[in-house]
Amino acid sequence: GGFFRGLKRTFYVLAIGSLGTYAYFVYQGRHPPDQLPQDPTKKTIVVLGSGWGATSLLKNIDTEEYNVVVISPHNYFLFTPLLPSVTVGTLDGRSIVQPTRHTTRFKTREVKVYEADCEYVDPINKTVTFEDRSEVKGSVSKVTIPYDYLVYSVGTENQTFGIEGVKKHACFLKELSDAEKIRARLIDCVESAAIKGQSEEEIDRLLHMVVVGGGPTGIEYAAELRDFVESDLIRWYPEVANKLRVTLVEALPNILPMFSQTLIKYTESTFKENSIDILTKHMVKDVDERDVLVKTPSGEEKKIPYGLLVWAAGNTARPLTRQLMAALPEHQKNRRGLEVDDHMRLKGAEDSVFALGDATATQFAPTAQAASQQGAYLARVFNQLARLQVLEDKLAAAKKAGADASELSGVERQIEKAAKIRPFKYSHQGSLAYIGSEKAIADIPLLGNNQIASGGVVTFMFWRSAYVSMLFSLRNRSLVAADWFKVFLFGRDVSRE
Ligand code: FAD
Ligand code: NAI
């Protein structure tokens, strides 16, 4: 009796303790502190973008010594690894975004955030021009501001290879609005296929979901789509859902080129079990409202009718990036993106511009992992530069006050140490991808044989907990967990907004 009473008491203490801690952090998250105002005597850092690179920088930088200004057309950070789940309503879009002000309001010194597109960078005169392109505008919408340092982290845009029909008819999967559009179109296709009198041929077309690109984006989207069909659509649309087909088109001989052969084979066999057709060595040449034109391995051209087309064929530099490259023609010649040195300094503007993430052409893959490590690195560089400035001011003051030689050389030694800035070093934590029916593949360098290709509850829970732990805030973690629980209880919502 005494033992169980003791156990019960321990349980209550732990439960109340955890709830109390949770409540404390929730309260903290909603009550940002007072901040120091911006100070015109301090240097200004302009950050372009609010994605992985920029947000990681903002999280880690000490703003006391700088006036930081953030410019981005989205006033939030988007957790892209979970974006494919939004396309079928496993997660609500709002659950995987974090308002940028939730990050900046907790910094020591005020950070200015402008929701606008940067449209021009002048690396010679050190200014940026940005424009409010939202639907609602005030009398001021275009502004030019100077910077001491620029952090360029605007990412990339979708590669369309100049195929006009792609922009017109396909859905991308990069922004939050893309995922929401896919979800609406998907339900639309199913509803239209169910209309009385629809011909078999038209039903086949409307229910043919084509994905272009066998990189991780295309694979994860196809996987989520299959899950949605199997666990929800079949139940609510029994008359049409079993006619839904998913086809993935890839130009190369195999999918997921960055993963090992074992993991590729595992994904291919999982897709086969889940009736997802993979067409490798098929290159999409054109797209119109109803068909995708592909070049088959034998060289002939074939039309594939589709209802929903998701274009996940990779990325290319944004026009702003190309324009910045054109401003530094001697130093920027790589069409893949901006060239930087090993300290993330932009070649040709080393003294004032840093570039990171997908916008750069480096030896690192264009991943969230690399961009966030670069953002954190750059924050450390700025923190070190601030310390250096403080020491230099101290030395100047000591000299002015006539300090003795030993005191001066002490400060000089500290300056010498602080001036040594280490280059960026990437640490690969592994790659992880969800491939459907609660299976995931992982390539983790820390593990002996480097690879996990498995299914079932354990891998699935590992995949989910890895992503939850990567989410930036308690708020997002709670929202994502609540969405998963909602889907577990009630299934996904099949209504169209
Ligand atoms: P982004 O995160 O793209 O941020 C760019 C920012 O710039 C955005 O805030 C944008 O609004 C802003 N911007 C755009 N134009 C302008 C302008 N003119 N002026 C100012 N700001 C501008 N990587 C992984 O490592 N693991 C994963 O599991 C993973 N999953 C992914 C899933 C999907 C569906 C996608 C699309 C990508 C995924 N990635 C993943 C890749 C990862 O998202 C990118 O590598 C990462 O976002 C790059 O970070 P970034 O800061 O360079 O760019
Ligand atoms: P990607 O560039 O990796 O893949 C695009 C694929 O589309 C390529 O395999 C290419 O051969 C194919 N393709 C291009 N044009 C084509 C055409 N006309 N017809 C047929 N196929 C065509 O792009 P993705 O998947 O968007 O990934 C971008 C980056 O984001 C990568 O670095 C990736 O590692 C990262 N990412 C990582 C994820 C993860 O780790 N789970 C998830 C999503 C993205």
Side-chain angles (χ1 to χ4, degrees), residues 1-14:
F3 173 73
F4 283 109
R5 260 203 309 281
L7 207 63
K8 222 159 106 184
R9 200 172 307 139
T10 313
F11 173 75
Y12 284 138
V13 169
L14 282 177

Side-chain angles (χ1 to χ4, degrees), residues 19 69 166 196 407 456:
L19 263 177
V69 179
V166 174
K196 185 174 161 54
E407 196 182 324

Side-chain angles (χ1 to χ4, degrees), residues 241-452:
N242 56 10
K243 294 182 186 154
L244 192 144
R245 289 177 303 137
V246 183
T247 302
L248 189 119
V249 185
E250 167 58 56
L252 297 175
N254 54 269
I255 54 166
L256 294 176
M258 64 291 286
F259 282 91
S260 70
Q261 272 304 321
T262 323
L263 300 186
I264 292 172
K265 289 268 166 299
Y266 185 75
T267 308
E268 284 174 347
S269 69
T270 303
F271 270 31
K272 201 164 178 191
E273 277 165 33
N274 292 340
S275 333
I276 299 175
D277 289 329
I278 301 179
L279 300 179
T280 48
K281 298 190 196 158
H282 280 65
M283 162 90 81
V284 174
K285 302 298 256 183
D286 206 0
V287 170
D288 67 22
E289 209 180 339
R290 302 166 67 91
D291 300 291
V292 180
L293 183 74
V294 294
K295 193 166 162 206
T296 65
S298 63
E300 68 199 61
E301 292 194 340
K302 193 172 99 183
K303 275 188 172 179
I304 303 179
Y306 70 87
L308 170 65
L309 175 64
V310 171
W311 188 263
N315 300 319
T316 186
R318 289 189 188 277
L320 184 71
T321 307
R322 273 185 253 128
Q323 179 233 90
L324 178 56
M325 285 156 93
L328 303 164
E330 301 271 287
H331 304 88
Q332 297 293 334
K333 293 189 172 128
N334 192 330
R335 290 188 56 216
R336 259 195 325 123
L338 296 171
E339 288 198 56
V340 290
D341 66 11
D342 59 1
H343 286 70
M344 309 312 299
R345 294 178 293 217
L346 184 73
K347 290 192 179 164
E350 283 88 347
D351 65 327
S352 55
V353 184
F354 296 87
L356 57 151
D358 286 8
T360 58
T362 60
Q363 82 260 36
F364 316 113
T367 58
Q369 208 179 138
S372 66
Q373 287 183 27
Q374 288 164 349
Y377 162 80
L378 215 50
R380 286 196 298 276
V381 170
F382 281 124
N383 296 346
Q384 195 170 338
L385 289 176
R387 277 198 301 279
L388 188 63
Q389 185 67 54
V390 169
L391 286 170
E392 277 169 353
D393 292 349
K394 190 171 157 190
L395 182 69
K399 275 184 182 159
K400 210 167 160 196
D404 61 35
S406 75
E407 196 182 324
L408 291 181
S409 74
V411 182
E412 274 161 1
R413 268 201 307 279
Q414 283 177 300
I415 290 183
E416 205 177 303
K417 217 170 129 200
K420 279 194 193 123
I421 295 178
R422 293 213 191 112
F424 169 69
K425 248 178 105 182
Y426 174 67
S427 144
H428 188 60
Q429 307 293 307
S431 312
L432 199 60
Y434 181 61
I435 59 169
S437 44
E438 305 202 341
K439 291 180 182 171
I441 51 170
D443 197 333
I444 298 172
L446 287 180
L447 298 177
N449 70 354
N450 284 1
Q451 295 153 18
I452 310 174

Side-chain angles (χ1 to χ4, degrees), residues 20 46 72 84 108 118 126 188 219 240 242 288 313 316 355 390 471 494:
V46 171
S72 176
T108 316
C118 175
K126 300 187 188 172
D188 223 358
I219 294 292
V240 289
N242 56 10
D288 67 22
T316 186
V390 169
L471 279 163
V494 294

Side-chain angles (χ1 to χ4, degrees), residues 94-113:
R94 310 312 309 171
S95 304
I96 59 162
V97 302
Q98 158 146 310
T100 299
R101 279 162 200 271
H102 282 199
T103 308
T104 57
R105 272 292 280 116
F106 286 88
K107 305 309 290 186
T108 316
R109 189 179 297 285
E110 181 197 4
V111 173
K112 301 270 185 214
V113 182

